[in-house]
């Protein structure tokens, strides 16, 4: 079984071989990500298989990170560090209510 790190390295190599890292920018890849997220949303709403859509988003995120000199794991570690101690629950309306918001 391949690891996230291995897929990240393969994706960066694939992107380098196709001139994406050399000729693209983080802004261009972010716009591509938005497009891919739109495809993901469409397929979620239609109940279709979304594995390729999620994978395409990961490719864009990998490229954005690489163009900024970052890794996906590094970004994930920062994000998890921000949320790991967060307390609260998502309500039935889809709104995350922080534990600190309950007193308001």
């Amino acid at each position: 079984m391949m690891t996230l790190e291995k897929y990240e390295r393969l994706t960066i190599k694939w992107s380098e071989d196709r001139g994406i890292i050399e000729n693209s920018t983080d802004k261009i890849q972010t716009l591509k990500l938005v497009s891919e997220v739109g495809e993901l949303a469409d397929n979620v709403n239609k109940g279709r298989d979304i594995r390729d859509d999620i994978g395409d988003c990961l490719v864009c995120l990998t490229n954005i990170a690489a163009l900024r000199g970052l890794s996906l794991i590094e970004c994930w570690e920062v994000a998890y560090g921000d949320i790991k101690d967060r307390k609260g629950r998502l309500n039935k309306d889809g709104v995350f209510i922080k534990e600190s918001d309950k007193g308001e």
Side-chain angles (χ1 to χ4, degrees), residues 4 8-9 11-12 15-16 20-21 24-30 33 57-76:
L4 179 65
E8 185 173 19
R9 282 192 304 274
T11 299
I12 292 168
S15 295
E16 288 171 344
I20 294 169
I21 299 299
S24 193
T25 66
D26 55 346
K27 291 176 186 175
I28 291 169
Q29 288 301 299
T30 300
L33 175 62
C57 291
L58 286 169
V59 169
C60 292
L61 288 169
T62 299
N63 288 337
I64 294 165
L67 286 161
R68 287 284 187 107
L70 304 169
S71 73
L72 290 181
I73 294 296
E74 178 183 2
C75 296
W76 214 336

Side-chain angles (χ1 to χ4, degrees), residues 46-60:
K46 292 177 179 172
R48 295 180 179 158
D49 185 352
I50 59 170
R51 289 175 290 182
D52 182 64
D53 302 306
I54 291 172
D56 288 345
C57 291
L58 286 169
V59 169
C60 292

